[in-house]
Amino acid sequence: LVLLPAAQNRNKDSITCEQMKYLVGLMDDQQDYILIDCPAGIETGFHNAIGPAQEALVVTTPEIAAVRDADRVIGLLEANGIGKITL
């Protein structure tokens, strides 16, 4: 188990989607699984997190607004070519 924590600053533009893909690519040969925790919302942090993803696990709560947001996230994941999405 290896953890790579993200910086806890307010500027989510410190890393680009391409840089994220590069970082995950460096670890790909050394790890069986790479889990990327995506921040809430669908802003830059979300797009950086899904950039290198091959699969996605969407976690939500059973509230109408949360399920609606999860459905929107699933649509964005599909639009970005994520093949396997689990809710």
Coordinates of all heavy atoms in Angstrom, one line a residue:
L1 N 0.9 -1.2 0.0 CA 0.0 0.0 0.0 C 0.9 1.2 0.0 O 1.8 1.4 0.8 CB -0.9 0.0 1.2 CG -1.8 1.2 1.4 CD1 -2.8 1.3 0.3 CD2 -2.5 1.1 2.7
V2 N 0.7 2.1 -1.0 CA 1.4 3.3 -1.1 C 0.4 4.5 -1.2 O -0.5 4.4 -1.9 CB 2.3 3.3 -2.3 CG1 3.0 4.7 -2.5 CG2 3.3 2.2 -2.3
L3 N 0.6 5.5 -0.4 CA -0.3 6.7 -0.4 C 0.5 7.9 -1.0 O 1.6 8.1 -0.6 CB -0.8 7.0 1.0 CG -1.6 5.9 1.7 CD1 -2.0 6.4 3.1 CD2 -2.9 5.7 0.9
L4 N -0.1 8.6 -1.9 CA 0.4 9.8 -2.4 C -0.6 10.9 -2.1 O -1.6 11.1 -2.8 CB 0.7 9.7 -3.9 CG 1.2 10.9 -4.6 CD1 2.6 11.3 -4.1 CD2 1.3 10.7 -6.1
P5 N -0.4 11.7 -1.0 CA -1.4 12.7 -0.6 C -1.3 13.9 -1.6 O -0.2 14.2 -2.1 CB -1.0 13.1 0.8 CG 0.4 12.7 0.9 CD 0.7 11.6 0.0
A6 N -2.4 14.5 -1.8 CA -2.5 15.7 -2.5 C -2.2 16.9 -1.6 O -2.5 16.9 -0.4 CB -3.9 15.9 -3.2
A7 N -1.7 18.0 -2.2 CA -1.5 19.2 -1.5 C -2.8 19.8 -1.0 O -3.8 19.7 -1.7 CB -0.7 20.2 -2.3
Q8 N -2.8 20.3 0.2 CA -4.1 20.9 0.7 C -4.1 22.4 0.5 O -4.2 23.1 1.5 CB -4.2 20.5 2.2 CG -4.3 19.0 2.4 CD -5.6 18.4 1.7 OE1 -6.7 19.0 1.9 NE2 -5.4 17.3 1.0
N9 N -4.0 22.9 -0.7 CA -4.1 24.3 -0.9 C -5.4 24.6 -1.7 O -6.0 23.7 -2.2 CB -2.9 24.8 -1.6 CG -2.7 24.3 -3.0 OD1 -3.6 23.8 -3.6 ND2 -1.5 24.3 -3.5
R10 N -5.7 25.8 -1.8 CA -7.0 26.2 -2.4 C -6.8 26.3 -3.9 O -7.8 26.3 -4.7 CB -7.4 27.6 -1.9 CG -7.8 27.5 -0.5 CD -8.2 28.9 0.0 NE -8.4 29.0 1.4 CZ -9.6 28.8 2.0 NH1 -10.7 28.7 1.3 NH2 -9.7 28.9 3.3
N11 N -5.6 26.3 -4.4 CA -5.3 26.4 -5.8 C -5.3 25.0 -6.5 O -4.3 24.4 -6.4 CB -4.0 27.2 -6.1 CG -3.8 27.4 -7.6 OD1 -4.6 27.0 -8.4 ND2 -2.7 28.0 -7.9
K12 N -6.4 24.6 -7.1 CA -6.4 23.3 -7.7 C -5.8 23.3 -9.1 O -5.8 22.3 -9.8 CB -7.9 22.8 -7.8 CG -8.6 22.8 -6.5 CD -7.9 21.8 -5.5 CE -8.7 21.8 -4.2 NZ -8.0 21.5 -3.1
D13 N -5.3 24.4 -9.6 CA -4.7 24.5 -10.9 C -3.2 24.3 -10.8 O -2.5 24.4 -11.8 CB -4.9 25.9 -11.5 CG -6.4 26.2 -11.7 OD1 -7.1 25.2 -12.0 OD2 -6.8 27.4 -11.6
S14 N -2.7 23.8 -9.6 CA -1.3 23.6 -9.5 C -0.8 22.4 -10.3 O 0.4 22.3 -10.6 CB -0.9 23.3 -8.0 OG -1.2 24.4 -7.2
I15 N -1.7 21.5 -10.7 CA -1.4 20.4 -11.5 C -2.5 20.3 -12.6 O -3.6 20.6 -12.4 CB -1.4 19.0 -10.7 CG1 -0.9 17.9 -11.5 CG2 -2.7 18.8 -10.1 CD1 -0.6 16.6 -10.7
T16 N -2.0 19.9 -13.8 CA -2.9 19.7 -14.9 C -3.3 18.3 -15.1 O -2.7 17.4 -14.5 CB -2.2 20.2 -16.2 OG1 -1.1 19.3 -16.5 CG2 -1.7 21.6 -16.1
C17 N -4.3 18.1 -15.9 CA -4.8 16.7 -16.3 C -3.7 15.9 -16.9 O -3.5 14.7 -16.6 CB -6.0 16.8 -17.2 SG -6.8 15.2 -17.5
E18 N -2.9 16.5 -17.8 CA -1.8 15.8 -18.4 C -0.7 15.4 -17.4 O -0.1 14.3 -17.5 CB -1.2 16.7 -19.5 CG -2.1 16.9 -20.7 CD -2.6 15.6 -21.3 OE1 -1.7 14.7 -21.5 OE2 -3.8 15.5 -21.6
Q19 N -0.4 16.3 -16.4 CA 0.5 15.9 -15.4 C 0.0 14.8 -14.5 O 0.8 13.9 -14.1 CB 0.8 17.2 -14.5 CG 1.6 18.2 -15.2 CD 1.7 19.5 -14.5 OE1 0.7 19.9 -13.8 NE2 2.8 20.2 -14.6
M20 N -1.3 14.8 -14.3 CA -1.9 13.7 -13.5 C -1.7 12.4 -14.2 O -1.4 11.4 -13.7 CB -3.3 14.0 -13.2 CG -4.0 13.2 -12.2 SD -3.3 13.4 -10.6 CE -4.4 12.3 -9.7
K21 N -2.0 12.4 -15.5 CA -1.9 11.2 -16.4 C -0.4 10.7 -16.3 O -0.1 9.5 -16.2 CB -2.3 11.5 -17.8 CG -3.7 11.7 -18.0 CD -4.1 12.0 -19.5 CE -5.5 12.3 -19.7 NZ -5.8 12.6 -21.0
Y22 N 0.5 11.6 -16.4 CA 1.9 11.3 -16.3 C 2.3 10.6 -15.0 O 3.0 9.6 -15.0 CB 2.8 12.5 -16.6 CG 4.3 12.3 -16.4 CD1 5.0 11.6 -17.4 CD2 5.0 12.7 -15.3 CE1 6.3 11.4 -17.3 CE2 6.3 12.5 -15.2 CZ 7.0 11.8 -16.2 OH 8.4 11.6 -16.0
L23 N 1.8 11.2 -13.9 CA 2.1 10.7 -12.6 C 1.6 9.2 -12.4 O 2.3 8.3 -11.9 CB 1.6 11.5 -11.5 CG 2.3 12.9 -11.2 CD1 1.5 13.7 -10.2 CD2 3.7 12.6 -10.7
V24 N 0.4 9.0 -12.8 CA -0.3 7.7 -12.7 C 0.5 6.7 -13.7 O 0.7 5.6 -13.3 CB -1.8 7.8 -13.0 CG1 -2.4 6.4 -13.2 CG2 -2.5 8.6 -12.0
G25 N 0.9 7.2 -14.8 CA 1.6 6.4 -15.7 C 3.0 5.9 -15.1 O 3.4 4.8 -15.4
L26 N 3.6 6.7 -14.3 CA 4.9 6.3 -13.7 C 4.6 5.2 -12.7 O 5.5 4.4 -12.5 CB 5.5 7.5 -12.9 CG 6.0 8.6 -13.8 CD1 6.5 9.8 -12.9 CD2 7.2 8.1 -14.7
M27 N 3.4 5.2 -12.1 CA 3.2 4.2 -11.0 C 2.5 2.9 -11.6 O 2.4 1.9 -10.9 CB 2.2 4.8 -10.0 CG 2.9 5.9 -9.2 SD 1.8 6.5 -7.9 CE 0.6 7.4 -8.9
D28 N 2.0 3.0 -12.8 CA 1.2 2.0 -13.4 C 1.9 0.6 -13.4 O 1.2 -0.4 -13.1 CB 0.8 2.4 -14.8 CG -0.4 1.5 -15.3 OD1 -1.2 1.1 -14.5 OD2 -0.5 1.4 -16.6
D29 N 3.1 0.5 -13.8 CA 3.9 -0.7 -13.8 C 4.2 -1.3 -12.5 O 4.5 -2.5 -12.3 CB 5.2 -0.6 -14.6 CG 4.9 -0.3 -16.1 OD1 3.8 -0.6 -16.6 OD2 5.8 0.3 -16.8
Q30 N 4.1 -0.5 -11.4 CA 4.6 -0.9 -10.1 C 3.4 -1.3 -9.2 O 3.6 -1.9 -8.1 CB 5.3 0.2 -9.4 CG 6.5 0.6 -10.2 CD 7.1 1.9 -9.7 OE1 6.7 2.4 -8.6 NE2 8.1 2.5 -10.4
Q31 N 2.2 -1.0 -9.6 CA 1.0 -1.2 -8.8 C -0.1 -2.0 -9.5 O -0.3 -1.9 -10.7 CB 0.4 0.2 -8.3 CG 1.3 1.1 -7.7 CD 2.0 0.6 -6.5 OE1 1.3 0.0 -5.7 NE2 3.2 1.0 -6.2
D32 N -0.8 -2.9 -8.7 CA -1.9 -3.6 -9.3 C -3.1 -2.7 -9.5 O -3.9 -2.8 -10.5 CB -2.3 -4.8 -8.4 CG -1.2 -5.8 -8.4 OD1 -0.5 -6.0 -9.4 OD2 -1.0 -6.5 -7.4
Y33 N -3.3 -1.8 -8.5 CA -4.5 -0.9 -8.5 C -4.0 0.5 -8.1 O -3.2 0.6 -7.2 CB -5.6 -1.3 -7.5 CG -6.2 -2.7 -7.9 CD1 -5.8 -3.8 -7.3 CD2 -7.2 -2.7 -8.8 CE1 -6.3 -5.0 -7.7 CE2 -7.8 -3.9 -9.2 CZ -7.4 -5.1 -8.6 OH -7.9 -6.3 -8.9
I34 N -4.5 1.5 -8.7 CA -4.3 2.9 -8.3 C -5.6 3.5 -8.0 O -6.4 3.6 -9.0 CB -3.5 3.6 -9.3 CG1 -2.1 3.0 -9.6 CG2 -3.3 5.1 -8.9 CD1 -1.4 3.5 -10.8
L35 N -5.9 3.9 -6.8 CA -7.2 4.6 -6.4 C -6.9 6.1 -6.4 O -6.0 6.5 -5.7 CB -7.7 4.0 -5.1 CG -8.0 2.5 -5.0 CD1 -8.4 2.2 -3.6 CD2 -9.0 2.1 -6.0
I36 N -7.8 6.8 -7.0 CA -7.7 8.3 -7.0 C -8.9 8.8 -6.3 O -10.0 8.6 -6.9 CB -7.5 8.8 -8.4 CG1 -6.3 8.2 -9.1 CG2 -7.4 10.4 -8.4 CD1 -6.2 8.6 -10.6
D37 N -8.8 9.4 -5.2 CA -9.9 10.0 -4.5 C -10.2 11.4 -5.2 O -9.4 12.3 -5.2 CB -9.6 10.2 -3.0 CG -10.8 10.7 -2.2 OD1 -12.0 10.6 -2.7 OD2 -10.6 11.2 -1.1
C38 N -11.4 11.5 -5.7 CA -11.8 12.7 -6.4 C -12.5 13.7 -5.5 O -13.3 13.3 -4.6 CB -12.8 12.3 -7.5 SG -13.3 13.6 -8.6
P39 N -12.2 15.0 -5.6 CA -12.8 15.9 -4.7 C -14.3 16.1 -5.1 O -14.7 15.8 -6.2 CB -12.0 17.2 -5.0 CG -11.5 17.0 -6.3 CD -11.2 15.6 -6.5
A40 N -15.1 16.6 -4.2 CA -16.5 16.9 -4.4 C -16.6 18.0 -5.5 O -15.7 18.9 -5.6 CB -17.2 17.4 -3.2
G41 N -17.6 18.0 -6.3 CA -17.8 19.0 -7.3 C -17.2 18.5 -8.6 O -16.6 17.5 -8.7
I42 N -17.5 19.3 -9.7 CA -17.0 18.9 -11.0 C -16.1 20.0 -11.6 O -16.3 20.3 -12.8 CB -18.2 18.6 -11.9 CG1 -19.2 19.7 -11.9 CG2 -18.9 17.3 -11.5 CD1 -20.3 19.6 -13.0
E43 N -15.2 20.5 -10.8 CA -14.3 21.5 -11.3 C -13.0 20.9 -11.7 O -12.9 19.8 -12.0 CB -14.2 22.6 -10.2 CG -15.6 23.3 -9.9 CD -15.5 24.2 -8.7 OE1 -14.5 24.2 -8.0 OE2 -16.6 24.8 -8.4
T44 N -11.9 21.7 -11.6 CA -10.6 21.3 -12.0 C -10.1 20.0 -11.3 O -9.6 19.1 -12.0 CB -9.6 22.4 -11.8 OG1 -10.0 23.6 -12.5 CG2 -8.2 22.0 -12.3
G45 N -10.3 19.9 -10.0 CA -9.9 18.7 -9.3 C -10.6 17.4 -9.8 O -9.9 16.4 -9.9
F46 N -11.8 17.5 -10.1 CA -12.6 16.4 -10.7 C -12.0 16.0 -12.0 O -11.7 14.8 -12.2 CB -14.1 16.8 -10.8 CG -14.9 15.8 -11.6 CD1 -15.3 14.6 -11.0 CD2 -15.2 16.0 -13.0 CE1 -16.1 13.7 -11.7 CE2 -15.9 15.0 -13.7 CZ -16.4 13.9 -13.0
H47 N -11.8 16.9 -12.9 CA -11.2 16.6 -14.2 C -9.8 16.1 -14.2 O -9.4 15.2 -14.9 CB -11.3 17.8 -15.1 CG -12.8 18.2 -15.5 ND1 -13.5 17.4 -16.4 CD2 -13.6 19.1 -15.0 CE1 -14.7 17.9 -16.5 NE2 -14.8 18.9 -15.7
N48 N -9.0 16.6 -13.2 CA -7.7 16.0 -13.0 C -7.7 14.6 -12.5 O -6.9 13.7 -13.0 CB -6.9 16.9 -12.1 CG -6.4 18.2 -12.6 OD1 -6.5 18.4 -13.9 ND2 -6.0 19.1 -11.8
A49 N -8.7 14.3 -11.6 CA -8.8 13.0 -11.1 C -9.2 11.9 -12.1 O -8.8 10.8 -12.1 CB -9.7 13.0 -9.9
I50 N -10.2 12.3 -13.0 CA -10.7 11.3 -13.9 C -9.8 11.2 -15.2 O -10.0 10.3 -15.9 CB -12.1 11.6 -14.3 CG1 -12.2 12.9 -15.2 CG2 -13.0 11.7 -13.1 CD1 -13.6 13.1 -15.8
G51 N -8.9 12.1 -15.4 CA -8.0 12.1 -16.6 C -7.3 10.8 -16.8 O -7.5 10.2 -17.9
P52 N -6.7 10.2 -15.8 CA -6.0 8.9 -16.0 C -6.8 7.7 -15.7 O -6.4 6.6 -15.8 CB -4.8 9.0 -15.1 CG -5.3 9.9 -13.9 CD -6.2 10.9 -14.6
A53 N -8.1 7.9 -15.3 CA -8.9 6.8 -14.9 C -9.3 5.9 -16.0 O -9.6 6.3 -17.1 CB -10.2 7.3 -14.2
Q54 N -9.4 4.6 -15.7 CA -9.9 3.5 -16.6 C -11.2 3.0 -16.1 O -12.0 2.5 -16.9 CB -8.9 2.4 -16.7 CG -7.6 2.8 -17.2 CD -6.5 1.7 -17.1 OE1 -6.8 0.6 -16.5 NE2 -5.3 1.9 -17.6
E55 N -11.5 3.1 -14.8 CA -12.7 2.7 -14.2 C -13.1 3.8 -13.2 O -12.3 4.6 -12.7 CB -12.6 1.4 -13.5 CG -12.3 0.2 -14.4 CD -12.1 -1.1 -13.6 OE1 -12.7 -1.2 -12.5 OE2 -11.5 -2.0 -14.1
A56 N -14.4 3.8 -12.8 CA -14.8 4.8 -11.7 C -15.8 4.1 -10.8 O -16.7 3.3 -11.2 CB -15.5 6.0 -12.4
L57 N -15.7 4.5 -9.5 CA -16.7 4.1 -8.5 C -17.3 5.3 -8.0 O -16.6 6.2 -7.4 CB -16.0 3.3 -7.4 CG -16.8 2.9 -6.2 CD1 -17.9 2.0 -6.5 CD2 -15.9 2.3 -5.1
V58 N -18.6 5.5 -8.2 CA -19.2 6.7 -7.7 C -19.9 6.4 -6.4 O -20.7 5.5 -6.3 CB -20.3 7.2 -8.8 CG1 -21.0 8.5 -8.3 CG2 -19.6 7.5 -10.1
V59 N -19.6 7.2 -5.4 CA -20.1 7.0 -4.0 C -21.1 8.2 -3.7 O -20.7 9.3 -3.9 CB -19.0 7.0 -3.0 CG1 -19.6 6.8 -1.6 CG2 -18.0 5.8 -3.3
T60 N -22.3 7.9 -3.2 CA -23.2 8.9 -2.9 C -24.1 8.5 -1.7 O -23.9 7.4 -1.2 CB -24.1 9.2 -4.2 OG1 -25.0 10.3 -3.9 CG2 -25.0 8.0 -4.5
T61 N -24.9 9.4 -1.3 CA -25.9 9.1 -0.2 C -27.3 9.0 -0.8 O -27.5 9.6 -1.9 CB -25.8 10.2 0.8 OG1 -26.1 11.5 0.2 CG2 -24.4 10.3 1.5
P62 N -28.2 8.4 -0.1 CA -29.6 8.2 -0.7 C -30.5 9.5 -0.5 O -31.6 9.4 0.1 CB -30.1 7.0 0.1 CG -29.4 7.1 1.4 CD -28.0 7.6 1.1
E63 N -30.0 10.6 -0.9 CA -30.8 11.8 -0.9 C -31.0 12.3 -2.3 O -30.1 12.1 -3.2 CB -30.0 12.9 -0.1 CG -29.8 12.5 1.4 CD -28.8 13.4 2.1 OE1 -28.3 14.3 1.4 OE2 -28.7 13.2 3.3
I64 N -32.1 12.9 -2.6 CA -32.5 13.3 -4.0 C -31.4 14.1 -4.6 O -30.9 13.8 -5.7 CB -33.8 14.0 -4.0 CG1 -34.9 13.0 -3.6 CG2 -34.1 14.6 -5.4 CD1 -36.3 13.6 -3.4
A65 N -30.9 15.1 -3.9 CA -29.9 16.0 -4.5 C -28.6 15.3 -4.8 O -28.0 15.5 -5.8 CB -29.7 17.2 -3.6
A66 N -28.2 14.4 -3.9 CA -27.0 13.6 -4.0 C -27.0 12.7 -5.2 O -26.1 12.5 -5.9 CB -26.6 12.9 -2.7
V67 N -28.2 12.0 -5.3 CA -28.4 11.0 -6.4 C -28.4 11.8 -7.7 O -27.8 11.3 -8.7 CB -29.6 10.2 -6.2 CG1 -29.9 9.3 -7.4 CG2 -29.5 9.3 -4.9
R68 N -29.0 12.9 -7.8 CA -29.0 13.7 -9.0 C -27.6 14.1 -9.4 O -27.2 14.1 -10.5 CB -29.9 15.0 -8.8 CG -30.2 15.7 -10.0 CD -31.1 16.9 -9.8 NE -32.3 16.5 -9.1 CZ -32.8 17.2 -8.0 NH1 -32.2 18.2 -7.5 NH2 -33.9 16.7 -7.4
D69 N -26.8 14.6 -8.4 CA -25.4 14.9 -8.7 C -24.6 13.7 -9.1 O -23.8 13.9 -10.0 CB -24.8 15.6 -7.4 CG -25.3 16.9 -7.1 OD1 -26.0 17.6 -8.0 OD2 -25.1 17.4 -6.0
A70 N -24.9 12.6 -8.5 CA -24.1 11.4 -8.9 C -24.5 11.0 -10.4 O -23.6 10.6 -11.1 CB -24.5 10.2 -8.0
D71 N -25.7 11.2 -10.8 CA -26.1 10.9 -12.1 C -25.4 11.9 -13.1 O -25.0 11.5 -14.2 CB -27.7 11.1 -12.3 CG -28.1 10.7 -13.7 OD1 -27.9 9.6 -14.1 OD2 -28.8 11.6 -14.3
R72 N -25.3 13.1 -12.7 CA -24.5 14.1 -13.5 C -23.1 13.7 -13.6 O -22.5 13.8 -14.7 CB -24.6 15.5 -12.9 CG -24.0 16.5 -13.7 CD -24.4 17.9 -13.2 NE -23.7 18.9 -14.0 CZ -23.3 20.1 -13.6 NH1 -23.5 20.4 -12.3 NH2 -22.8 20.9 -14.4
V73 N -22.5 13.2 -12.5 CA -21.1 12.8 -12.6 C -20.9 11.6 -13.5 O -20.0 11.5 -14.3 CB -20.6 12.4 -11.1 CG1 -19.3 11.7 -11.1 CG2 -20.4 13.7 -10.3
I74 N -21.8 10.6 -13.4 CA -21.8 9.5 -14.3 C -21.8 9.9 -15.7 O -21.1 9.4 -16.6 CB -22.9 8.5 -13.9 CG1 -22.6 7.8 -12.6 CG2 -23.1 7.4 -15.0 CD1 -23.8 7.0 -12.0
G75 N -22.7 10.8 -16.1 CA -22.7 11.4 -17.4 C -21.4 12.0 -17.9 O -20.9 11.7 -19.0
L76 N -20.8 12.7 -17.0 CA -19.4 13.3 -17.3 C -18.4 12.2 -17.5 O -17.5 12.3 -18.3 CB -19.0 14.3 -16.2 CG -19.8 15.6 -16.2 CD1 -19.5 16.4 -14.9 CD2 -19.6 16.4 -17.4
L77 N -18.4 11.2 -16.6 CA -17.5 10.1 -16.7 C -17.6 9.4 -18.1 O -16.6 9.1 -18.8 CB -17.7 9.1 -15.6 CG -17.3 9.6 -14.2 CD1 -17.8 8.6 -13.1 CD2 -15.8 9.8 -14.1
E78 N -18.9 9.1 -18.5 CA -19.1 8.5 -19.8 C -18.6 9.4 -20.9 O -18.0 8.9 -21.9 CB -20.6 8.2 -19.9 CG -21.1 7.1 -19.0 CD -22.6 6.9 -19.1 OE1 -23.3 7.8 -19.5 OE2 -23.0 5.8 -18.7
A79 N -18.9 10.6 -20.8 CA -18.5 11.6 -21.9 C -17.0 11.7 -22.0 O -16.4 12.0 -23.0 CB -19.0 13.0 -21.6
N80 N -16.3 11.3 -20.9 CA -14.8 11.4 -20.9 C -14.2 10.0 -21.2 O -13.0 9.8 -21.0 CB -14.3 11.9 -19.6 CG -14.4 13.4 -19.5 OD1 -13.5 14.1 -20.1 ND2 -15.4 14.0 -18.9
G81 N -15.0 9.1 -21.6 CA -14.5 7.8 -22.0 C -14.2 6.8 -20.9 O -13.4 5.8 -21.2
I82 N -14.7 7.0 -19.7 CA -14.5 6.0 -18.7 C -15.3 4.8 -19.0 O -16.6 4.9 -19.0 CB -14.8 6.6 -17.3 CG1 -14.1 7.9 -17.1 CG2 -14.5 5.6 -16.2 CD1 -12.6 7.9 -17.1
G83 N -14.7 3.6 -19.2 CA -15.5 2.5 -19.6 C -16.3 1.8 -18.6 O -17.5 1.5 -18.8
K84 N -15.8 1.6 -17.4 CA -16.5 0.8 -16.4 C -16.9 1.8 -15.2 O -16.0 2.3 -14.6 CB -15.7 -0.4 -15.9 CG -16.4 -1.2 -14.9 CD -15.6 -2.4 -14.4 CE -16.3 -3.2 -13.4 NZ -15.5 -4.3 -12.8
I85 N -18.1 2.0 -15.0 CA -18.6 2.9 -13.9 C -19.5 2.1 -13.0 O -20.5 1.5 -13.5 CB -19.3 4.1 -14.5 CG1 -18.4 4.9 -15.5 CG2 -19.8 5.0 -13.4 CD1 -19.2 5.9 -16.3
T86 N -19.2 2.1 -11.7 CA -20.0 1.4 -10.7 C -20.5 2.5 -9.8 O -19.8 3.4 -9.3 CB -19.1 0.4 -9.9 OG1 -18.5 -0.4 -10.9 CG2 -20.0 -0.4 -9.0
L87 N -21.8 2.3 -9.4 CA -22.5 3.2 -8.4 C -22.6 2.5 -7.1 O -22.9 1.4 -7.0 CB -23.9 3.6 -8.9 CG -24.7 4.6 -8.0 CD1 -23.9 5.9 -7.8 CD2 -26.0 4.8 -8.6

